[in-house]
Amino acid sequence: MLKWSELNRASDVVLAVWPSYRPLHERWYMQELVDKDELSPVWRERMVPGEDDSVRADPYADRKAAIEAAEALNPVLRAAISARTADSVAKRSLELKVDKALQSKRRLQEEESLMLAEALRRHTDDPRLDAEALKLAPDSERYREDLAEQLAEMPYLRVAKVGRSNNRWTHALLYLGPDGVWSKPYQAGDKAAQTAERAKIANGFGLSATSHWGKMKAKIRQILLPRANELLKLASVQRILAEALARGERVLVSNGIVFWYEPDGDIGWQVKETSSTRESEGATIWKEGTILSTNHGRLVVLPYIKETGELVRGHTKNGPNDGRALPRHRDYYVEIPFSLYDGDLMIGLFGELPYE
C-alpha cells in the first residue's frame, strides 16, 4: 500500500483546487493545480494523508459541498502566492495563470449545467414508459428498475449507465437500438461512463454523445440562442435589464449568452454570443475592461488578460461563416463596460421559460 511519506508531494506547491465529477464513481473529486516553476501549472487529482501514513483521494458526494470546500481553501492558497518573495511581475503572472485555470473550470461546469437543464426541460411532456414496458435484452433484465428510474427523469436517453454504486453489480452501459430494445450490458470504465454522462445532455438535443464533445457543445449553443432571445419577453428579465440600464450597464454576460443594449435605431436589448480569439481562448477575463464595438457583429470577445499581464480590450465580430460584420460609422463606435453574472442566473432564467 502506498504511504504518504513515499508519495513525495510534501514539497509540491498547490496553487488552487477545484472539484471534477467522475461519473463512473458518481462522486466529485477534488483536483489541485500544481506549480511547475517556469512551465504552466498543471491539474492533477488531489491526494491527502490518511491514518497511519496512508494516502487517500479527496471525494465529495455532491457538487455543492465540493465547491464550498474549494472556495474555503482557495483564498488560503492565494494568500500564500501573495506572500512569496518573488518579484512582482513573476508573482502577478502566476496569479493570472491561476485565475485562468479556475475560470476555465467554472465556466465549463456552468455551461454544461445550463445545457443539462435545457435538455431536461425540452422533454418535460414526453411520455414515460412503465418499467414493465421497457424492452430489454435478456442479459440486461436485472437493470430494468435502474434504467426505468433514469428514463422517468430523462426519457430521451439512448445511452445509460446502470448498476448503482451500492449495488453488487459492476457498472455497465446499455444502448437503445433502432428496434426500441435496450442492448445487453457492456462493462463500463471511465471513458464509457463519461459517454453516458454526456448523453444526458447530447441526447436531449437529438445529438450523439459519442461525437466530438467540443463540436457537439457548439451545436447546442446555436440551439440555445433562440431560447435566449425569448428571455427578452419575460417581465422578470425586462426588470433585470431595466435595472442594469439604470446603473449604466449595457452589456450583461452569463454562460456564453450576452445581453447587449443597442441605443441607435431604437433596437434596445438584444442577445449575442460570447466568442474568443486564438489568444483569448481560456484566458483570464479582465472584469474591469471594456468592449470597443466598431461593427454590428453577433459575437462578443470579452476583454482578457494575457499571461504576460497585457490587457486586451474586448470587441465584436461575426462568426467564420457569417460574412463580414456590418461596420459602424466611426462617430458611432461605442466603448462599453460589461458585467459578469453568475452562471446560475442564466440557468434560473431559462427555468422561467414556459415549455413550448
Side-chain angles (χ1 to χ4, degrees), residues 311-330:
L311 306 176
V312 181
R313 190 161 51 184
H315 58 277
T316 52
K317 66 175 187 175
N318 267 356
N321 299 313
D322 296 338
R324 186 179 179 185
L326 182 67
R328 297 178 187 270
H329 187 279
R330 181 170 293 275

Side-chain angles (χ1 to χ4, degrees), residues 7-50:
L7 196 58
N8 297 324
R9 287 197 172 193
S11 61
D12 290 347
V13 178
V14 177
L15 304 171
V17 296
W18 196 255
S20 177
Y21 186 63
R22 300 259 308 264
L24 183 65
H25 304 283
E26 299 177 4
R27 292 288 186 275
W28 290 84
Y29 284 83
M30 196 67 76
Q31 294 185 321
E32 57 188 17
L33 187 67
V34 182
D35 191 9
K36 289 294 181 180
D37 296 323
E38 299 301 320
L39 302 176
S40 294
V42 296
W43 287 103
R44 71 183 182 193
E45 187 166 338
R46 182 168 173 78
M47 297 292 182
V48 294

Side-chain angles (χ1 to χ4, degrees), residues 288-308:
E288 293 78 29
T290 58
I291 300 163
L292 177 65
S293 179
T294 63
N295 56 53
H296 295 277
R298 68 175 179 85
L299 302 177
V300 180
V301 177
L302 298 177
Y304 61 95
I305 308 175
K306 294 183 178 181
E307 290 183 358
T308 59

Side-chain angles (χ1 to χ4, degrees), residues 19 28 30 59-71:
W28 290 84
M30 196 67 76
Y60 297 81
D62 61 80
R63 181 174 180 259
K64 183 174 183 291
I67 289 180
E68 286 176 352
E71 290 181 339

